Structure formats: structure tokens, C-alpha cells
Amino acid sequence: MEHAHTEGERRFPSPEQDFDIYKAARSEGDFQHALYHMACALSTDPANAEWLDSLNEWIDAGEDLLPFVPVEENNYFAVMAVRAYIYARMNKFNDAFGLLGQVIKVKPEVPYLVWVSEWEPRIAGVDHIEEGTIIGFVSGVLRSLDMLEGNVRHKALAALVSVLRKMCQAHPKAYMLFWLLSSMYRRQEDVLAAFAAAKTAYKLNKCWNTAIGMALCFKAQGNIRKAAGFYKKAGRLDPGNEAGYLDLGDLYLENELYKKALKAYNKAADIQPGHEWALPSILYCEYMIKQDAERLGKIEAYIKANTSNGRARELLKPLLPGSELPFVDYIPEPQEATINVLRQVAEQNPDLESGGTISLTINHLEAPSAIRAMELYLNKFGRSANPPKLNLTIDNVPEPDPRQPIAENGAMLWNYEGPIAQPAMPEPSGRAVDAVRRLAMTPYQIEDWYRTAGELAQSLTPAYLPDLLAVLTHPPEPPESVSSWHWLQRIQYAAVFLMARLSPSKPSEALLSLCHGQSDWPVNAAVAVLAYEAQGDPELEKAVSELFLRLMERIPQEGYCFFTYALICSWLQLSSIDVKLREQLEQWKNDLEQRE
């Protein structure tokens, strides 16, 4: 949906600015423009009372606003959400649920479900709401519902239960309505009500779905035997569906019934060979039954060949001490001399509130982020009348010069005066910083972060890439419980992950720019993400491997190189590298680890 915007608006206004634009456009009679910016604001906070009150007042005044949020090709999801909201305000709930359900399927991370809590009390009857509309709505919003927390989730659940109960009364033969009602009751931990609804659904239609619903209720009651019985019934009702056997295997596994679990997982694997949940589960059960070296060896081989398999990581890795992979399962700590000094300073916890100076001499120029981490630490004491200072002396600049990019598209994050670096970019926008901070606060694992970054990136656009680059040198203040170097690392990794998810092409131009630019910590994150994205794609692996060859030439002859270990570990994740190179990289990796 296209609108004429001022130059300032093209810079992606904040939600508050969106609301101001909405008010101005509304007063000028530019209603489509106004509702567009209201939609933008609400997409960041659907429950904002001030914005909703203004929209409600406008709708209730009797103006027909639907023509100003038209259904067109390539509709902006936020505009369609507002159209759904207008439908509900007009008591056209069938249209409202139908359209909002489509929006939430596309954007489950935006908590539009909060609106259902406001709609539900106004639904006097459900005569005008079609059975299929509610079934489609509730079925499509379960992921979004499970992303909600606290009182917001509690209210949304209660509203969905109330709507479903009314629909069940109006359509007493619609088994899927009862099945969904049982699912909502289970989420409320109302086991008895869930069982009653599931039993009704099963009586109305003995099918795979309703048998699974019964199994889940018996499982919630702790009745393993009856839960297993209904999982088996589901298998007989739909022999080609492996999901019930996976659930049955999980049920047995949770109760340490490994032989029964193995049998269930094997049935799932027979239906879908190579299933990424079934195979590691089979290996786990086989080991727990025999607990011998042969099966442990199979587990180790499977993990090496399937590094991105989340089930294998969760289930099998604990059986192999020390099997966690650097840059995949955790971020190794920085090892610059500056950081080693900073660790000592932080452990000694000197009184710097009244000022003081930390003098530091290093032999070779290090990553500027190492110095930035020291500055972040000292900033904690910056409110005193005489803030502490860093007196830094750098003796040598290594060759190749890390201050210079190695390609024309190389990112220039820092301005250097001799060996001293200052951020080259202005401070980033609040929206970009917030997305980066939210990702940085979650436990690191490359697959999990890549998925979460994709969800967070939905609130941004490629126009935010410069802001994400700026975050690399302008990190938000670290929490009290996190060291400055850990925090800076995580912020930079989070920003790089978001850049990758916003990139329209692979390999990401933004990540390539970091690798080709001035040498700094974000290169570690970039090579890790580039290798992760390339795995299994021969063309991408070739392009990434060529980049890694060029980075290897950048490793200086003297002084510590912060990206060597990340480069080697990430390179080894590529399946297409030849045997000789793999052997050399493995030896290099072992040498580095022994030195540490």
C-alpha cells in the first residue's frame, strides 16, 4: 500500500511519531494515510490504550473507515489488522476473526491476540460467526498464543475459551470446536474441563486428531497407560501419520521406558525415513538400553554430521562431555591482552568512583572492540566528579594493517587517529537497539538465535541495516550482572544475526562488508553466521569458503589475531571442503586450543 511521505517519514518513524502523523493526517482529511500510520504504531503495541481510544472514538463517530484500509494485493499486515479491528468495533465478528486470523498466521510475534480479550464481552451471540471461521482462527493462532506471557496470556486464553464455549453451544456436532476447546483448557491447566471437551470431540468423530486430544488429556492426568493407548489408536486411525508415534515415544522416554520408546520411534522412522526427531531419539534409546562404547560412537558421529539438529543437541550432547561446539553452542571469550587486563581489574574491583587512571601498554594494535569493552567498564563510574581514565599506549601496528578494509565494500566502523579508534557512525535508533538487546539477553545457540533473529527482524526493514552497523560500536549499557566484554560480544553477535535475517540476498551483503572491512570482533559473528547459512548449499559453501581463504591471508605474522579461531571453527562447518584442507584446519584448531 503506497502513500506519499515526507522525507522525515521515510526514515521509519518511531511508534510515537507514527501516532503524531496519524493525528495530523486525520485532521487534514487524509484518512488512508492516517490509518496507515495508526496501523504502524499498533503493530509495535496492539494494546496501547491511547492509540486504541483514539481509533475507537473515530470508528464510533459513524465514519465508514473500511474504504481507507482496502483489501489489495500485497497488503501490509498491519493495515489488515486495523481493518479486522474496525470490523470488530462494528460488531462484524465473523469478518474480524477471519481477517485477524490471517494476519496472526503471518505475524505470530505481534500480540494482536490481546484484541480478542476486548472483543469477547461484546459478542452477545455467535449466530453470525461461522463455525469454520473460529476453527481456522484458533487453529492458526496457537503459536502466537504460546508466545504470550503472564496476565496478557491469561486474558487471551480466557477470551478464547469463552468464544469457543459459545460456539460449542451453537454447534454441538462440530467436533473440531470441542477439540480446540480442550486444547485451550489444557493451556489453562484445567485438566477436568479439557478431558470433558476432548471426550465429546472423540465421541463425535473418532479420528487421529481427537484420539491425540484424548491422549494429551490422559498424559496431563499422569495416566501413562491410557495416554499410550490413545496414541496407538491414533496410529491405527491414520497409519501414515508419524506424529502420534513421536508423541508416544516422547511419553515413554520421559518415563524412562526406553524399550517401548524405541519401538515407537522406529515406527515413526518407518513412516518417514530420516526423520530429524526420530533418529536422534532412536540413538538415545539404544544407548540407554545398552550403554556401550559402540552406540556412544554412533551418537558422536551423528552429532558431527548433524550439527544443526536441535533434538540431537538437546538429547545426545549431554552424553558426550565436551561435545559443545564453539560459535555454534557458545561464544568463546575474547583473548586480547586488553581483555586479560580488564578481567584482572574487574576481579580486583578497585574503587574508581573518585577517579583514577588505568595505564595500559600493548605490543600490537588489537581489535578496537577490546578497548571499547574497557571503556564500557569504566563508564560505570562516569557519574563521579572525576571519572576514571584509560591511558593507552600501543607500540606497533601489525601487517596487514587491520585499520584498512580489504575491499571497496568493506565496512568502516571506526575513525582512527593513529592507533586510537572512535566510532565512525552516529548513534543508532531506539527500535534497532531494542531488537538487538532482546536477542542478546537470550541464551546463545546458533540455531535458536537465527530463528529468534528472524522473528525480531519482522519489526524492522532493510533500512535499519545502518542502525545495526552503528550498534556494533554504540552498544547499550550492560546489565549489572554481565561483564562489559561479554555484553559487547553478545550485542555485536545479535546485531550481526539481525543483519543476516534482514538481508535480501545470501551471502548477506552486510556480513560480507563486515568481513571485508576494518578488522574487529563482529567478523567473528559474521563468519559464524555465513557458515551456518551456507551449510548444505554447494554454491553458498563455495562462496563462503573463498571468503574464508581471503580472510586467512589477513591473519598478521605478529601479534594476536582475534578472528583466527572463529574462522577455523566456522570453516569446519562446511561439508564441501576437501579432505586435505579439513585435516589442516583440524590440526590448526587443536594447536590453538592446546595453547589456551
Side-chain angles (χ1 to χ4, degrees):
M1 196 174 294
E2 296 294 331
H3 299 275
H5 291 83
T6 67
E7 184 62 31
E9 289 173 42
R10 288 195 185 96
R11 296 178 62 82
F12 293 90
S14 68
E16 292 73 20
Q17 290 170 329
D18 274 318
F19 185 58
D20 289 339
I21 296 169
Y22 150 80
K23 289 187 291 185
R26 179 182 166 185
S27 67
E28 294 166 2
D30 192 352
F31 294 164
Q32 188 164 341
H33 197 179
L35 288 170
Y36 172 83
H37 283 280
M38 171 59 81
C40 292
L42 287 172
S43 71
T44 67
D45 182 9
N48 187 289
E50 180 184 6
W51 304 340
L52 290 177
D53 285 346
S54 180
L55 183 56
N56 289 340
E57 171 266 320
W58 194 5
I59 299 168
D60 295 345
E63 183 81 45
D64 182 7
L65 300 184
L66 290 176
F68 306 111
V69 280
V71 178
E72 302 172 337
E73 283 191 31
N74 302 317
N75 282 308
Y76 181 33
F77 77 91
V79 173
M80 290 300 95
V82 166
R83 184 179 178 91
Y85 187 89
I86 294 170
Y87 277 139
R89 196 70 187 177
M90 298 167 64
N91 294 324
K92 296 183 177 181
F93 290 107
N94 191 68
D95 294 323
F97 280 110
L99 185 54
L100 189 65
Q102 295 177 43
V103 172
I104 293 176
K105 283 182 184 178
V106 175
K107 294 288 181 180
E109 69 277 6
V110 181
Y112 287 122
L113 271 176
V114 298
W115 290 350
V116 180
S117 305
E118 189 266 335
W119 296 358
E120 184 275 328
R122 296 191 289 109
I123 302 175
V126 293
D127 296 343
H128 302 294
I129 303 179
E130 296 175 8
E131 168 191 333
T133 299
I134 292 299
I135 291 173
F137 179 82
V138 179
S139 300
V141 304
L142 295 180
R143 183 183 172 206
S144 183
L145 175 64
D146 291 338
M147 293 172 73
L148 300 180
E149 297 178 348
N151 191 50
V152 173
R153 185 174 188 273
H154 173 78
K155 290 174 67 177
L157 258 175
L160 289 172
V161 165
S162 179
V163 171
L164 282 167
R165 287 176 63 183
K166 292 175 183 177
M167 292 295 296
C168 287
Q169 291 170 1
H171 304 277
K173 300 296 184 183
Y175 78 94
M176 276 300 293
L177 289 172
F178 287 94
W179 183 82
L180 290 168
L181 179 59
S182 176
S183 178
M184 294 301 104
Y185 277 134
R186 285 201 312 275
R187 284 169 167 79
Q188 286 185 319
E189 299 183 357
D190 190 340
V191 178
L192 292 178
F195 182 79
K199 191 174 181 180
T200 300
Y202 187 69
K203 284 182 177 180
L204 289 169
N205 186 2
K206 292 179 173 60
C207 64
W208 187 90
N209 277 329
T210 57
I212 292 293
M214 290 291 290
L216 290 169
C217 287
F218 279 120
K219 180 181 177 181
Q221 291 177 339
N223 192 327
I224 299 171
R225 183 180 62 82
K226 287 192 175 182
F230 273 96
Y231 279 130
K232 293 173 184 176
K233 283 184 180 180
R236 291 192 293 271
L237 289 164
D238 187 356
N241 192 333
E242 81 285 352
Y245 289 113
L246 293 173
D247 288 345
L248 177 59
D250 292 348
L251 174 72
Y252 284 139
L253 186 63
E254 290 165 8
N255 289 277
E256 301 182 1
L257 300 170
Y258 300 118
K259 290 182 179 180
K260 291 184 176 182
L262 179 60
K263 185 177 179 181
Y265 288 129
N266 276 322
K267 285 188 176 181
D270 289 342
I271 296 169
Q272 188 176 332
H275 195 286
E276 63 180 13
W277 186 278
L279 289 189
S281 302
I282 289 169
L283 289 172
Y284 181 84
C285 292
E286 288 177 341
Y287 175 76
M288 296 306 292
I289 293 168
K290 294 287 186 179
Q291 298 200 15
D292 59 1
E294 179 185 351
R295 282 159 184 80
L296 201 60
K298 288 182 179 180
I299 286 172
E300 186 172 10
Y302 184 85
I303 288 177
K304 284 186 177 179
N306 298 272
T307 56
S308 63
N309 186 306
R311 176 65 168 173
R313 184 175 70 249
E314 171 196 7
L315 201 61
L316 301 180
K317 277 203 169 183
L319 301 177
L320 299 171
S323 63
E324 289 193 333
L325 297 173
F327 306 100
V328 173
D329 298 306
Y330 67 96
I331 303 173
E333 289 207 11
Q335 298 297 324
E336 283 89 346
T338 303
I339 299 301
N340 293 332
V341 170
L342 179 53
R343 287 192 188 95
Q344 295 173 13
V345 170
E347 287 173 3
Q348 295 166 3
N349 195 25
D351 180 12
L352 297 174
E353 291 292 348
S354 57
T357 300
I358 294 179
S359 296
L360 177 62
T361 300
I362 53 179
N363 292 331
H364 293 88
L365 179 67
E366 296 181 335
S369 286
I371 306 301
R372 191 77 180 94
M374 177 72 82
E375 292 170 347
L376 282 176
Y377 174 78
L378 295 179
N379 284 349
K380 294 194 304 181
F381 310 99
R383 297 182 183 87
S384 61
N386 298 300
K389 297 179 181 179
L390 173 63
N391 184 8
L392 178 64
T393 302
I394 299 170
D395 291 336
N396 299 289
V397 175
E399 287 292 337
D401 190 336
R403 298 170 297 181
Q404 301 300 321
I406 59 174
E408 289 185 3
N409 69 332
M412 301 293 287
L413 300 178
W414 302 95
N415 288 326
Y416 278 93
E417 292 185 10
I420 306 302
Q422 295 294 329
M425 302 180 71
E427 293 193 8
S429 68
R431 188 179 294 190
V433 172
D434 180 63
V436 171
R437 184 192 289 109
R438 288 172 64 186
L439 182 56
M441 294 293 287
T442 64
Y444 178 82
Q445 201 288 325
I446 196 166
E447 182 182 13
D448 296 339
W449 267 39
Y450 193 78
R451 182 185 63 254
T452 305
E455 295 170 353
L456 291 170
Q458 301 297 325
S459 65
L460 305 174
T461 71
Y464 278 90
L465 286 169
D467 283 312
L468 293 172
L469 282 167
V471 174
L472 301 175
T473 57
H474 292 285
E477 287 296 315
E480 283 293 328
S481 59
V482 183
S483 68
S484 61
W485 59 94
H486 279 144
W487 180 245
L488 182 55
Q489 266 192 319
R490 295 180 72 85
I491 287 294
Q492 291 178 340
Y493 268 73
V496 169
F497 272 75
L498 285 164
M499 287 182 212
R501 298 315 302 265
L502 284 172
S503 175
S505 62
K506 297 289 184 289
S508 164
E509 291 294 332
L511 271 58
L512 292 176
S513 177
L514 287 172
C515 293
H516 290 148
Q518 295 167 313
S519 188
D520 195 18
W521 284 2
V523 173
N524 288 345
V527 298
V529 176
L530 286 167
Y532 175 78
E533 289 187 324
Q535 287 176 29
D537 185 322
E539 290 187 9
L540 273 179
E541 287 204 4
K542 183 175 182 293
V544 170
S545 193
E546 289 173 355
L547 170 68
F548 288 179
L549 277 169
R550 189 165 188 186
L551 281 173
M552 186 170 66
E553 297 172 355
R554 193 174 193 176
I555 298 173
Q557 296 296 318
E558 296 182 350
Y560 172 77
C561 180
F562 70 89
F563 66 79
T564 305
Y565 190 54
L567 177 64
I568 294 168
C569 293
S570 300
W571 213 338
L572 285 168
Q573 297 301 310
L574 304 182
S575 59
S576 61
I577 59 176
D578 63 52
V579 175
K580 185 176 180 181
L581 176 58
R582 185 172 295 279
E583 290 176 352
Q584 292 173 338
L585 292 172
E586 290 279 10
Q587 184 60 54
W588 198 356
K589 177 174 178 286
N590 290 336
D591 291 344
L592 289 173
E593 290 172 345
Q594 287 175 8
R595 287 177 204 167
E596 292 179 8

